[in-house]
Amino acid sequence: MKAFAATGIAAPLTASIELVEVDEPRPGPGEAVVAVEAYSVNRGEALSLNGRFGPGTPAGTRFGQDVAGRVVQAAADGTGPAVGTRVVAWASGGW
């Protein structure tokens, strides 16, 4: 699977992101895996990437909290949307 991640600790206006290979996620109870069709890098992420929000962005931080796509693996406990359901989400822990 691919994800956008920070390439280093952000200093103002010097950080960048790259597309990197990451492990496939596995849903836990109440979670689902979504094949992301669209995402945004929101204002907080952009400010963090440039060292202007919080402590900066550590290397490896993944971006794209605001997502839309389809469920490809349902929750381990059977809760939540079924496989194939179109969803929008704010992915906490995305950065």
Side-chain angles (χ1 to χ4, degrees), residues 2-69:
K2 297 196 182 288
F4 282 104
T7 58
I9 295 176
L13 304 176
T14 62
S16 61
I17 57 176
E18 339 182 319
L19 192 58
V20 298
E21 197 68 35
V22 298
D23 292 336
E24 291 282 335
R26 297 192 184 277
E31 299 177 336
V33 176
V34 175
V36 175
E37 297 170 0
Y39 78 97
S40 70
V41 174
N42 65 35
R43 184 174 187 269
E45 291 169 311
L47 290 172
S48 178
L49 181 61
N50 287 308
R52 295 181 176 176
F53 180 74
T57 304
T61 297
R62 296 179 193 165
F63 290 86
Q65 278 190 300
D66 309 313
V67 300

